[in-house]
Amino acid sequence: METLKRTKIKALLGREPGGEVLAKGWVRTKRGNKQVKFIALNDGSTINNIQVVADMERFDEELVKRITTGASLAVRGELTSSIGSGQAVEIQAREIEVFGDCDPMRYPLQKKDTSLEYLRTVAHLRPRTNTFGAILRIRHAMAFAIHQFFNDKGFVYLHTPLITESDAEGAGDMFQVTTLDLKDIPLDKKGNVDFSKDFFGKKTSLTVSGQLEGELGATAVGEIYTFGPTFRAENSNTPRHLAEFWMIEPEMAFYDIEDNMELAEEFVKYLVQYALDHCMDDLRFLNDKYDNGLIERLHSVLGIAFERVTYTRAVEILEKAVAEGVPFEFPVHWGTDFQSEHERYLVEKYFGKPVILTDFPKDIKAFYMKQNEDGRTVRGMDVLFPKIGEIIGGSEREASLEKLEGRIAELGMSRKNLEWYIDTRRFGSVPHSGFGLGFERLLLFVTGMANIRDVIPFPRTPKNAEF
Ligand code: 4AD
Ligand code: MG
């Protein structure tokens, strides 16, 4: 067996029959009778299994007993055309080696209960299911396509820090990073925690966004993007929030809000098209198993222009809906932040396509957004998607030193940790824009999964940080 090189199952399934092959993988199922056994083998290279046919005259009863769901095998044999339906080729086994047994009485994936809720409790093994194999492959393909998209456009991939002292979004939901002894916290004369004794000599946290450092890159090399983990300690137990998620943040010098919207729309369409072009087997599986509208919905966002509408106009539409009896749970009027029910009404009911909302009240958005002439709105933009709500948040940035400083003062923010950021406006300031795409929100859309915990291998949510 050793002289023969292993071929991945994806490659074997695409081959013409003939010749001796070596496959390795995990048993999905075994069926058959006294004379012959059919083993479905999967190695993760594709959602599809290869069928291994074991003639019982050739194999020892004891060995075949060990071939149970979840066991790992090497199989050498002839690749032949298959008479059974469902596959073009199969392996007529000559030699089978069991690497690792898998006790059917104890294997958690043997259970009848394969609900997504149950699988979350065995997240260390769920990658072995068809569903999570498909999700992990799609997740990878999307990550790869993101780098491809920006590389093709000449953007520079910028690594921004994960440990930081800046609260970019100003929402204050940061995880603190400290090496101080929590049982013996050093205090200063006023009785406050003395962070000068801490590892970095100051108070630090995990980043909620790489944007501010991203702007440093964009105002130097022109166009950058970040792609990394992001941490938010918001206590929201929803199907759309994680405490640790991945975000892609492009930031572009000389882009105004229109350029920004164009890039965002082109970007998500590129990713959806990439999934359709490269992940069809996995998408078909998810479409059939969980969401019959998935593939159609993916196609539906490609052919149309996203609707661009100001926040103010959206409020008018929503207020009219309320007057006509649409039962929203949360109130809506000018000045409120939209809830997911409002976003979904606009996208799914009113416009029937993705929507880009712009020009929000300044009080519900971060300090760095470009201020409009009206004095009460800012040039923010949110991209809203069917079934998800907000998938992208971004803006044109305030490029005027005076206006930026004014806003920082107005909000009572400490300038102490922000002087480095303000320098971008002090020295050669340029109009610039950027946005953040939530990677898992994108994956919710592309996979059709309903819960964000099911599109990341090891979800972190309030009271849950296992593995
Ligand atoms: O709208 P947000 O907060 O924008 C920013 O962080 C900006 N600094 C981005 C920028 O302009 N460079 O977050 C951006 C996106 C959201 O639209 C959403 O898709 C995702 O990040 N997101 C989350 N995804 C999962 N769990 C959470 N708790 C999320 N919070 C935001
Ligand atoms: Mg947002």
Side-chain angles (χ1 to χ4, degrees), residues 100-313:
D101 297 277
C102 186
D103 180 353
M105 300 309 287
R106 296 178 54 216
Y107 189 43
L109 299 182
Q110 280 283 3
K111 291 212 181 124
K112 286 247 160 47
D113 185 8
T114 54
S115 69
L116 294 167
E117 289 77 13
Y118 169 71
L119 291 177
R120 270 173 230 148
T121 68
V122 288
H124 59 303
L125 291 170
R126 69 177 183 172
R128 296 195 188 183
T129 60
N130 285 329
T131 297
F132 284 87
I135 286 163
L136 293 185
R137 281 184 298 271
I138 294 171
R139 194 178 159 103
H140 162 75
M142 290 295 91
F144 183 83
I146 284 160
H147 288 297
Q148 184 86 56
F149 177 83
F150 287 119
N151 186 62
D152 287 352
K153 287 188 177 296
F155 281 53
V156 170
Y157 179 27
L158 183 73
H159 295 106
T160 49
L162 299 189
I163 300 174
T164 177
E165 58 173 331
S166 95
D167 180 2
E169 298 306 300
D173 42 20
M174 304 183 84
F175 289 102
Q176 215 173 305
V177 175
T178 182
T179 53
L180 291 178
D181 180 356
L182 296 184
K183 288 199 288 297
D184 185 18
I185 297 172
L187 300 178
D188 63 16
K189 287 198 195 91
K190 286 189 196 144
N192 297 319
V193 177
D194 183 1
F195 284 106
S196 72
K197 303 260 167 42
D198 205 348
F199 187 91
F200 295 104
K202 56 177 61 155
K203 188 178 175 187
T204 54
S205 305
L206 294 176
T207 185
V208 293
S209 161
Q211 177 195 325
L212 302 196
E213 295 89 350
E215 288 184 52
L216 305 178
T219 53
V221 295
E223 291 156 336
I224 63 94
Y225 69 105
T226 72
F227 185 2
T230 310
F231 308 88
R232 292 192 186 177
E234 44 192 345
N235 203 356
S236 31
N237 242 318
T238 81
R240 278 175 271 283
H241 287 85
L242 290 166
E244 176 180 297
F245 62 100
W246 288 63
M247 186 155 49
I248 301 96
E249 294 185 274
E251 190 72 32
M252 299 75 62
F254 317 114
Y255 271 51
D256 65 13
I257 189 82
E258 296 293 327
D259 303 322
N260 205 25
M261 285 194 274
E262 241 166 71
L263 183 74
E265 184 166 340
E266 185 191 343
F267 181 43
V268 282
K269 283 179 172 171
Y270 176 92
L271 296 176
V272 169
Q273 184 68 58
Y274 192 96
L276 288 167
D277 290 345
H278 294 86
C279 307
M280 212 30 161
D281 284 355
D282 290 324
L283 290 176
R284 244 182 242 123
F285 170 82
L286 295 172
N287 187 88
D288 295 349
K289 180 147 189 194
Y290 298 103
D291 179 354
N292 285 316
L294 172 63
I295 292 176
E296 196 187 306
R297 203 160 53 248
L298 294 180
H299 281 290
S300 79
V301 301
L302 292 177
I304 36 102
F306 298 177
E307 187 72 30
R308 297 177 184 191
V309 33
T310 64
Y311 168 91
T312 302
R313 167 129 192 269

Side-chain angles (χ1 to χ4, degrees), residues 400-415:
S400 146
L401 175 62
E402 201 189 329
K403 285 192 181 161
L404 184 71
E405 287 181 318
R407 189 68 184 137
I408 290 171
E410 197 174 16
L411 289 168
M413 294 168 67
S414 155
R415 284 182 64 128

Side-chain angles (χ1 to χ4, degrees), residues 169 232 337 343 365 369 381-382 390 392-394 436 441:
E169 298 306 300
R232 292 192 186 177
D337 213 350
E343 297 174 342
K365 291 293 180 187
M369 293 193 184
M381 63 169 216
D382 280 0
E390 183 189 331
I392 282 177
R441 299 261 177 105

